[in-house]
Amino acid sequence: MPHDFMPGLAGIPAAKSSISDVDGQRGVLEYRGIRVEELCLRSSYLETAYLLLFGHLPTQPQFARWHEDILHHRRIKFKIIDLLKCLPEQGHPMDALQAAVAALGMFYPGRNVQDIENNYWSAVRLVAKLPTIVAAWARLRHGDEYISPRDDLGFSENFLYMLTETVPLPLWGDIFDDCLILHAEHTMNASTFTGMVTASTLADPYTVVASSIGALKGPLHGGANEEVVEMLKKIGKPGKARPYLEEQVRAKQRLMGFGHRVYKVKDPRATILQGLCERLFKECGTSPLYEVALEVERVAEELLKGKGIYPNVDFYSGIVYDKMRIETDLFTPLFAMARVSGWVAHWLEQLRENKLFRPDQIYSGEHGQPYVPIEQR
Ligand SMILES: CC(C)(COP(=O)(O)OP(=O)(O)OC[C@H]1O[C@@H](n2cnc3c(N)ncnc32)[C@H](O)[C@@H]1OP(=O)(O)O)[C@@H](O)C(=O)NCCC(=O)NCCS
């Protein structure tokens, strides 16, 4: 049956899912029916991850077990640390993360993805170990020692501790946790779809997540958060935002951190992240990048009026991380270590009614061509 070709599969449903939903006209994002604003206010990343993975908020005993299981699986094997040590230190952290996650699958080989018990432990390991890998790489590449997780610290506090060897201010832990909640899941985006295609072949979950990490790296997806901070640094001062943006628009260049396939209003995550910036600055002083960002948003609204292009999740997240003195090229790995819960939730959902992804194409080449010997070409 012939179909209309939709570049980028825009608007084509690729799955039925009950994990999250976006209303792009009203700017609403829900995980399992609960708005992200509510989750940021009342939940934690670890509880939100449980909600995404298992479909409901945990009871106290369920959460206690989940928390305990995560605590026990945060450490990484010394061979993974050795693997990271062997990678070129100037390489991108997303590549190091992808390599390490693919290698995890070699240590935990349970290939039977119909084994529910094994799938639970895969989910635990992936949620627990990604932050440890990101923090380990961030230190090892500078010649610093790997820092083991600390069991007395919360999920986000522990990550910041493993990164800096300093227990962060409680406010930093809270704000970082909200950032992880906001990045945990987002319907049928490119990296989730990539993971689902891999999952549909019944590949193991480490391979699924490694393929999603690859898709997240690109600047049209998760990589945009790095580019936003680079752009804001390049602009330098609020007064320089207008000439910079006018030139970008004239040259038909895309503004990083703006625009979205689904949202036609400001991304609700951008609004929450902007609030987080302000909470952070109240305690730690403002950031010059934030002043530039506000002006960029104002001018962009004027210049791109009518196109439905507003700040997305990547516009303000980097400003929070930059204020926490996290290196710019780690921003996308932070996205990945949050999004892993969404990827794994989609993997589990996909397995329940799996069908191999095998889309069609519209062939636009020739038929019946002769083979011309090389010397006659
Ligand atoms: C995310 C993104 C790929 C979605 O794009 P899309 O749904 O495929 O939209 P299209 O590429 O069809 O663009 C539609 C129109 O909006 C314009 N547009 C989209 N995003 C834009 C941006 N960030 N800056 C300037 N113009 C933009 C396009 O140039 C196009 O204009 P035209 O109709 O005059 O040619 C796109 O907005 C983008 O590249 N954003 C920057 C990267 C980014 O921040 N990514 C993170 C996403 S969370």
Side-chain angles (χ1 to χ4, degrees):
M1 209 203 318
H3 295 279
D4 287 339
F5 171 50
M6 292 303 292
L9 299 180
I12 308 279
K16 284 187 176 174
S17 177
S18 61
I19 300 171
S20 66
D21 189 41
V22 171
D23 180 336
Q25 300 299 332
R26 291 193 302 134
V28 174
L29 169 60
E30 292 171 332
Y31 298 166
R32 304 282 186 188
I34 305 177
R35 287 179 74 138
V36 280
E37 289 83 353
E38 179 91 347
L39 290 167
C40 283
L41 217 56
R42 305 173 62 165
S43 185
S44 64
Y45 173 72
L46 219 46
E47 185 186 59
T48 298
Y50 186 101
L51 170 73
L52 291 168
L53 288 161
F54 307 113
H56 56 90
L57 288 169
T59 59
Q60 278 179 352
Q62 284 168 339
F63 186 72
R65 180 189 166 195
W66 172 239
H67 182 245
E68 191 75 358
D69 290 343
I70 295 286
L71 277 191
H72 285 141
H73 288 85
R74 288 198 296 202
R75 282 168 180 74
I76 50 177
K77 293 191 186 288
F78 80 86
K79 284 192 177 174
I80 294 283
I81 296 169
D82 285 354
L83 170 98
L84 291 173
K85 282 183 184 163
C86 291
L87 298 175
E89 59 275 13
Q90 71 280 9
H92 196 282
M94 282 296 273
D95 295 331
L97 181 63
Q98 189 181 34
V101 170
L104 279 183
M106 300 168 80
F107 291 100
Y108 308 105
R111 299 275 154 185
N112 177 9
V113 292
Q114 305 306 341
D115 179 339
I116 293 172
E117 181 73 9
N118 195 43
N119 289 355
Y120 172 79
W121 289 112
S122 301
V124 167
R125 283 189 203 105
L126 283 160
V127 172
K129 290 188 195 299
L130 257 71
T132 315
I133 296 171
V134 173
W137 169 255
R139 296 183 62 81
L140 293 169
R141 67 174 170 169
H142 295 306
D144 295 328
E145 281 300 309
Y146 156 73
I147 296 177
S148 298
R150 251 177 61 177
D151 289 354
D152 58 322
L153 298 176
F155 190 85
S156 290
E157 276 183 312
N158 173 63
F159 171 73
L160 294 171
Y161 164 75
M162 290 191 298
L163 197 62
T164 60
E165 211 178 0
T166 310
V167 177
L169 296 170
L171 177 75
W172 286 30
D174 284 356
I175 288 180
F176 192 81
D177 211 59
D178 281 352
C179 291
L180 296 186
I181 292 176
L182 292 173
H183 286 88
E185 161 62 9
H186 207 246
T187 72
M188 196 50 57
N189 54 84
S191 57
T192 299
F193 182 55
T194 303
M196 286 175 61
V197 173
T198 309
S200 80
T201 69
L202 301 185
D204 66 276
Y206 306 95
T207 306
V208 169
V209 170
S211 61
S212 292
I213 291 171
L216 185 69
K217 185 185 172 196
L220 293 188
H221 193 6
N225 55 13
E226 271 187 49
E227 308 243 348
V228 169
V229 165
E230 300 299 350
M231 172 181 82
L232 297 176
K233 285 185 176 159
K234 198 158 138 198
I235 295 173
K237 290 184 182 148
K240 294 198 169 161
R242 179 174 290 279
Y244 178 87
L245 263 67
E246 282 176 347
E247 177 52 26
Q248 291 287 107
V249 171
R250 197 196 55 71
K252 295 197 179 311
Q253 292 294 314
R254 285 177 182 234
L255 287 183
M256 287 297 144
F258 279 81
H260 200 275
R261 179 66 61 78
V262 185
Y263 291 116
K264 296 306 160 209
V265 293
K266 187 166 172 177
D267 185 330
R269 298 167 300 173
T271 307
I272 302 172
L273 282 158
Q274 197 173 349
L276 295 179
C277 286
E278 286 171 8
R279 259 178 76 197
L280 187 61
F281 300 156
K282 228 178 244 164
E283 185 145 326
C284 313
T286 190
S287 151
L289 294 183
Y290 187 57
E291 306 303 322
V292 178
L294 290 177
E295 184 61 6
V296 167
E297 182 177 351
R298 209 180 58 73
V299 177
E301 197 175 336
E302 196 186 302
L303 298 181
L304 300 171
K305 206 169 16 200
K307 281 201 170 184
I309 296 167
Y310 297 95
N312 59 45
V313 68
D314 294 315
F315 192 61
Y316 287 107
S317 59
I319 301 175
V320 174
Y321 301 145
D322 185 76
K323 187 69 189 175
M324 292 183 176
R325 297 190 288 275
I326 298 175
E327 294 169 282
T328 311
D329 63 358
L330 295 176
F331 296 174
T332 318
L334 302 185
F335 192 155
M337 67 186 226
R339 182 57 59 86
V340 69
S341 50
W343 291 331
V344 175
H346 283 273
W347 167 64
L348 293 170
E349 193 176 64
Q350 170 77 23
L351 289 177
R352 268 176 230 130
E353 277 183 58
N354 188 50
K355 184 158 173 77
L356 178 72
F357 275 100
R358 197 342 183 155
D360 209 347
Q361 63 166 12
I362 295 169
Y363 178 63
S364 62
E366 314 264 9
H367 287 288
Q369 291 293 297
Y371 176 82
V372 180
I374 195 162
E375 62 281 2
Q376 292 170 27
R377 286 173 213 161

